[in-house]
Amino acid sequence: CYAVVLFRLCGEWYSDPDVSYGFFVPILIGYVVWQDRGRLRALTPAPNNFGLVLMIIGGALLCMGPPGLNTFAFATRLALVLSVTGIILFLRGFATCRALIYPLLLMLLMIPLPGFVIQRVTFPLQIVASQMAERGLDMIGYSVLREGNILRLPQTTLDVAQACSGLRSLLALTFLGQAYVCLLDRRKWMRPVMALLVIPVAVFANSARIVASAIAGSYRPEWIQGIFHESTGWIVFVIAFLCIVMLHSMFGHIGRKLRGEVEA
């Protein structure tokens, strides 16, 4: 039933570099479920007919509108998550569904955000990034005037466009953060903590990229675009991920220290 949905989803992962991490989300989900296979096997199946209700809702969403439109495509992909949840609930019951809530939430990372969500989220992120970049440039001695999402420097003008809002790096860092925690940390409470930590790191990293672009553009205006602009994006993304790793290590150190004091 969902073959066309999965085919179109894979096509979007392949064609859009912003969501190319989607290919790795099913692998991460499979790894998480495999890790919990012993606990899942020990649960007693208790089939629940409410799963059929979720499957019917999923089937209704699957039949909505032409799948080529962005909004309807999002509905059909959300239907996949509902149907999988319904199947688990119908065959195994609430206990198994509760045990698999984290992999089911990870499935949402497979689905690119619809256009209306991107439009509502992007502009506030553009404004926040522009404000933080303005303060950063002021702190290091650069004269800058901000008009909405436009930064005016004496030698150049920088437009914080939709692509520079930081939403792309936020989603990619969310996946990488969850993959890092799942592979290297068995503490389940760290998963939501990491999801929250990614937000300020991604926003700050994007603002730092805008500051670097503004400084470079004040010397060579052509550096605002082209290979230099793309290079700073990759460099800042790697630095942001390293910051996430450092924050994870810091939380781990604090946790070990607190456990040591409790045991003492």
Side-chain angles (χ1 to χ4, degrees):
C1 292
Y2 289 92
V4 175
V5 175
L6 292 172
F7 179 78
R8 291 179 180 270
L9 194 56
C10 290
E12 190 164 352
W13 295 340
Y14 180 78
S15 61
D16 188 354
D18 295 341
V19 293
S20 57
Y21 60 86
F23 283 109
F24 302 98
V25 176
I27 299 175
L28 178 63
I29 293 173
Y31 176 76
V32 172
V33 174
W34 177 255
Q35 276 189 320
D36 289 343
R37 63 190 184 280
R39 183 165 65 99
L40 293 172
R41 191 183 296 117
L43 294 174
T44 302
N48 192 294
N49 290 332
F50 183 69
L52 285 177
V53 177
L54 294 181
M55 294 174 65
I56 292 172
I57 296 174
L61 289 175
L62 180 63
C63 298
M64 284 182 58
L69 293 179
N70 192 12
T71 302
F72 293 121
F74 177 75
T76 58
R77 293 161 184 176
L78 190 62
L80 174 62
V81 180
L82 283 176
S83 295
V84 171
T85 305
I87 290 172
I88 296 171
L89 190 58
F90 179 68
L91 297 179
R92 296 280 301 182
F94 275 108
T96 302
C97 198
R98 186 166 52 248
L100 291 173
I101 187 67
Y102 179 67
L104 291 172
L105 290 175
L106 285 178
M107 287 186 68
L108 297 176
L109 291 176
M110 298 167 48
I111 306 174
L113 294 177
F116 69 90
V117 173
I118 293 176
Q119 291 175 0
R120 289 183 176 274
V121 173
T122 297
F123 186 70
L125 286 176
Q126 287 176 264
I127 297 299
V128 171
S130 303
Q131 292 173 341
M132 294 183 65
E134 179 189 19
R135 295 191 183 97
L137 290 167
D138 284 334
M139 290 176 60
I140 58 180
Y142 280 82
S143 177
V144 58
L145 174 64
R146 184 179 65 84
E147 298 176 354
N149 61 322
I150 298 176
L151 301 176
R152 300 189 184 276
L153 285 81
Q155 295 83 8
T156 186
T157 298
L158 188 66
D159 182 8
V160 182
Q162 179 176 339
C164 300
S165 64
L167 182 61
R168 297 182 300 177
S169 58
L170 175 60
L171 295 174
L173 283 172
T174 298
F175 168 70
L176 285 178
Q178 294 303 308
Y180 177 81
V181 170
C182 291
L183 293 173
L184 300 176
D185 195 329
R186 299 299 296 270
R187 295 171 296 182
K188 293 185 177 181
W189 61 267
M190 183 58 73
R191 297 170 179 175
V193 170
M194 183 61 67
L196 293 176
L197 287 176
V198 164
I199 298 175
V201 170
V203 172
F204 180 80
N206 188 55
S207 302
R209 180 192 181 189
I210 296 172
V211 170
S213 298
I215 295 174
S218 65
Y219 292 99
R220 299 283 297 272
E222 62 270 20
W223 284 355
I224 294 180
Q225 299 177 348
I227 187 64
F228 179 84
H229 184 68
E230 297 296 329
S231 299
T232 54
W234 281 105
I235 293 171
V236 170
F237 183 83
V238 172
I239 294 174
F241 180 68
L242 293 177
C243 290
I244 292 174
V245 174
M246 292 174 60
L247 288 172
H248 172 261
S249 301
M250 182 184 71
F251 270 87
H253 176 73
I254 294 174
R256 288 191 295 271
K257 188 174 182 180
L258 290 176
R259 284 198 303 271
E261 291 178 356
V262 170
E263 292 175 357

